[in-house]
């Protein structure tokens, strides 16, 4: 029997205002609560849900901040350890903090004139609710709420935001056009040409200052090699450059 601070699960009419990815995140939050044998869904489970979703804006933002599911689970289990009693089944009720966070998410969506609540809005709701387990987890992992908020807002302005939050496929690689920060498609030849272009002015300045073609040539070559090594194009694992949203 649930305690007074537990609130009934989301009704079907309430879910209608959530995007496909947000609904998936809520399902995953329920699974995470069951995995920990918790008799409720709290803000910590909502956080795990949006991270585990992988596709939604919230998951991609947190991944860009080096916040992955393993780190999240480890920290959550420190502050809310698994229970050893009989495993929980079915749809679990939300606690008061989770309810407030979802209410904040709804307000965030309304303030942005968005018709549906997405994973980004849920994350905004989570970081806007002080004193919660989720806030404690984010603090322990040195996540700055202001930076998270800024990145979420950037994600909400992504040209393919609606397609990201309505993506239905459960498994497999995410199409590149749905990624907030897709890998740069730069070939080795293209990278070298780009680095040559940026290295020329530096070599020219040094050459003019020293009035030496040798100094120009040496500086130019060193800068090109430095660019190439720093960007990782000589690394067998491939370039490290990424485009930023």
């Amino acid at each position: 029997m649930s305690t007074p601070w537990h609130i009934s699960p989301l009704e079907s009419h309430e879910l209608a205002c959530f995007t496909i990815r947000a609904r998936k995140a809520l399902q995953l939050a329920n699974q995470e609560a069951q995995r920990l044998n918790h008799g409720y869904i709290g803000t910590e489970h909502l956080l795990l849900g949006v991270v585990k979703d992988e596709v939604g804006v919230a998951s991609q933002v947190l991944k860009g901040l080096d916040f992955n599911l393993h780190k999240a689970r480890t920290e959550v289990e420190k502050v809310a350890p698994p229970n050893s009693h009989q495993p929980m089944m079915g749809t679990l009720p939300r606690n008061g903090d989770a309810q407030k966070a979802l209410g904040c998410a709804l307000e965030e969506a309304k303030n942005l004139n968005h018709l549906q609540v997405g994973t980004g809005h849920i994350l905004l709701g989570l970081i806007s609710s002080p004193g919660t387990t989720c806030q404690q987890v984010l603090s322990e992992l040195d996540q700055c709420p202001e930076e998270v908020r800024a990145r979420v807002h950037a994600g909400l302005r992504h040209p393919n935001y609606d397609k990201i939050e309505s993506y239905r496929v459960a498994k497999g690689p995410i199409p590149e056009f749905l990624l907030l920060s897709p890998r740069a498609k730069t070939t080795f030849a293209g990278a070298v040409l780009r680095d040559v272009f940026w290295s020329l002015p530096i070599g020219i300045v040094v050459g003019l200052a020293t009035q030496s073609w040798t100094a120009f040539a040496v500086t130019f070559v060193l800068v090109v090699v430095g660019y190439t090594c720093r960007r990782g194009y000589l690394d067998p694992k491939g370039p490290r450059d990424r485009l930023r949203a």
Side-chain angles (χ1 to χ4, degrees):
M1 184 175 181
S2 61
T3 56
W5 50 271
H6 282 170
I7 299 172
S8 61
L10 287 169
E11 301 294 341
S12 58
H13 69 277
E14 293 179 286
L15 285 172
C17 68
F18 285 77
T19 66
I20 290 173
R21 298 321 312 176
R23 293 181 216 174
K24 181 64 176 178
L26 294 176
Q27 292 174 0
L28 294 172
N30 191 79
Q31 291 177 12
E32 288 297 312
Q34 290 176 339
R35 183 182 65 84
L36 295 169
N37 286 338
H38 292 167
Y40 62 94
I41 296 174
T43 56
E44 64 272 30
H45 308 114
L46 292 177
L47 178 63
L48 292 175
V50 296
V51 174
K52 191 175 180 180
D53 171 61
E54 294 189 347
V55 181
V57 166
S59 178
Q60 294 193 50
V61 164
L62 292 171
K63 188 181 297 183
L65 292 169
D66 195 30
F67 186 94
N68 56 43
L69 183 60
H70 173 72
K71 288 183 178 180
R73 279 176 168 172
T74 300
E75 200 59 42
V76 165
E77 290 175 19
K78 288 180 182 177
V79 296
N83 289 324
S84 57
H85 54 63
Q86 185 177 356
M88 292 293 169
M89 304 295 289
T91 302
L92 301 175
R94 307 182 305 278
N95 68 13
D97 286 341
Q99 176 70 2
K100 289 178 183 178
L102 291 178
C104 288
L106 182 59
E107 288 301 315
E108 292 282 355
K110 286 181 178 178
N111 292 338
L112 294 169
N113 294 320
H114 290 170
L115 298 178
Q116 288 187 300
V117 177
T119 58
H121 304 111
I122 293 176
L123 183 54
L124 291 176
L126 289 170
I127 64 175
S128 299
S129 305
T132 64
T133 306
C134 173
Q135 287 275 19
Q136 185 177 346
V137 169
L138 292 173
S139 176
E140 289 294 328
L141 292 174
D142 297 322
Q143 296 297 326
C144 174
E146 291 75 17
E147 183 174 6
V148 174
R149 178 175 290 277
R151 293 201 180 206
V152 169
H153 279 284
L156 295 176
R157 294 192 298 270
H158 192 279
N160 290 327
Y161 167 73
D162 289 335
K163 293 180 180 179
I164 292 172
E165 288 290 324
S166 62
Y167 189 62
R168 291 181 176 274
V169 179
K171 295 183 180 180
I174 306 170
E176 188 171 287
F177 75 95
L178 296 183
L179 297 176
L180 299 182
S181 301
R183 182 178 295 276
K185 295 180 177 179
T186 308
T187 63
F188 177 78
V192 171
L193 286 174
R194 180 185 62 186
D195 294 341
V196 165
F197 175 80
W198 287 110
S199 302
L200 271 173
I202 300 175
I204 290 172
V205 169
V206 173
L208 291 174
T210 60
Q211 296 185 341
S212 168
W213 282 105
T214 301
F216 162 75
V218 171
T219 301
F220 174 71
V221 170
L222 288 176
V223 173
V224 171
V225 172
Y227 270 131
T228 303
C229 292
R230 181 171 63 84
R231 297 182 189 282
Y233 290 105
L234 301 181
D235 190 332
K237 295 183 179 179
R240 292 187 292 269
D241 279 13
R242 287 184 179 273
L243 298 175
R244 295 296 177 189

